[in-house]
Amino acid sequence: MNSILTRWVYISDSQCGVQAPQNAVILALPYFLSWVSTLILYPLADLCKKKKWLSTVAVRKIWTLIGHLGPALCLFVMAGAGCNIQLIIAMLMLSQVVEAGNYGGWLINHIDIAPSFSGTLFGITNGVSMLVSWLGPVLVGFMTDENQTLEAWSAVFIMAGSVLAADSIFFLMFGSGSEQSWNYKAEGESDEVESRMNNVNNTPIVTQENNQLP
């Protein structure tokens, strides 16, 4: 969505002959709305979980649907919006608002399923997402190189929306909010680690004062 936000001014001008708003406030508004919605959606997810209004897995799935399926629907609308600049801008802003649902969804799900390995899991998933973030612009460039038309960009919107919708459905089907069995250490491993820590803690510290000769 960030790439679309930065490119839309050029697309609207070259293909529609319509000057999209270039006011700095208008261009920054989607990011401001995203920040505001994060301050609302994330605490709301935590509240639903703490008050037991929803189970952990229900919270994670609902908020992931908001954060991924919401922008997907906005992209599908944009694909058919043509040169309706007002509708395009509205969808861009709405997509940034609902995208904040990810912070109460899959982004924090690592702690639910494996708190002992949440950092490692986040590193893996974030690494894969960064790889996609690198491949995405390359693919879009391939699709739109010397073909800066509304049809080409509509295909980009549909492709991006389809990916978001697909991973939303995948998480809805297979996502979990329960701590996994592999999160626990193997039998005996914890005792060994504890024994080593005790040995370290019980090792006398040699100070300069102790080394002084009588």
Side-chain angles (χ1 to χ4, degrees), residues 129-209:
S129 68
M130 290 301 102
L131 178 63
V132 175
S133 297
W134 175 74
L135 291 175
V138 174
L139 180 58
V140 170
F142 177 77
M143 296 173 64
T144 60
D145 184 34
E146 298 183 359
N147 187 30
Q148 294 287 335
T149 63
L150 289 176
E151 291 76 16
W153 277 98
S154 293
V156 171
F157 298 157
I158 292 173
M159 178 190 67
S162 299
V163 171
L164 287 170
D167 65 43
S168 299
I169 296 172
F170 183 87
F171 189 81
L172 183 64
M173 294 174 61
F174 301 106
S176 173
S178 303
E179 190 172 352
Q180 303 298 297
S181 59
W182 46 265
N183 176 65
Y184 303 101
K185 296 179 180 178
E187 186 177 354
E189 182 181 346
S190 135
D191 296 335
E192 183 182 350
V193 172
E194 185 176 353
S195 175
R196 290 179 181 177
M197 290 300 296
N198 288 334
N199 289 337
V200 171
N201 293 332
N202 293 330
T203 301
I205 301 176
V206 178
T207 63
Q208 183 178 0
E209 187 176 300

Side-chain angles (χ1 to χ4, degrees), residues 15-185:
Q15 297 302 313
C16 299
V18 179
Q19 191 70 30
Q22 298 188 48
N23 184 285
V25 175
I26 297 297
L27 295 176
L29 188 57
Y31 300 101
F32 174 76
L33 294 175
S34 177
W35 173 70
V36 172
S37 62
T38 300
L39 297 179
I40 297 172
L41 288 176
Y42 180 74
L44 182 59
D46 199 37
L47 181 65
C48 290
K49 186 172 175 289
K50 286 184 176 179
K51 295 289 186 180
K52 299 188 184 301
W53 296 337
L54 293 169
S55 65
T56 299
V57 66
V59 169
R60 300 303 178 231
K61 288 184 177 182
I62 291 172
W63 263 251
T64 297
L65 286 177
I66 294 172
H68 272 196
L69 195 58
L73 295 176
C74 292
L75 285 165
F76 292 147
V77 172
M78 289 168 58
C83 290
N84 190 334
I85 302 300
Q86 289 75 18
L87 180 59
I88 294 288
I89 293 174
M91 289 298 101
L92 285 172
M93 292 186 179
L94 179 60
S95 69
Q96 293 296 103
V97 169
V98 295
E99 192 177 24
N102 289 317
Y103 295 105
W106 71 271
L107 274 173
I108 195 122
N109 190 231
H110 310 83
I111 298 176
D112 300 324
I113 63 174
S116 298
F117 304 102
S118 58
T120 301
L121 289 175
F122 185 79
I124 293 171
T125 55
N126 194 54
V128 173
S129 68
M130 290 301 102
L131 178 63
V132 175
S133 297
W134 175 74
L135 291 175
V138 174
L139 180 58
V140 170
F142 177 77
M143 296 173 64
T144 60
D145 184 34
E146 298 183 359
N147 187 30
Q148 294 287 335
T149 63
L150 289 176
E151 291 76 16
W153 277 98
S154 293
V156 171
F157 298 157
I158 292 173
M159 178 190 67
S162 299
V163 171
L164 287 170
D167 65 43
S168 299
I169 296 172
F170 183 87
F171 189 81
L172 183 64
M173 294 174 61
F174 301 106
S176 173
S178 303
E179 190 172 352
Q180 303 298 297
S181 59
W182 46 265
N183 176 65
Y184 303 101
K185 296 179 180 178

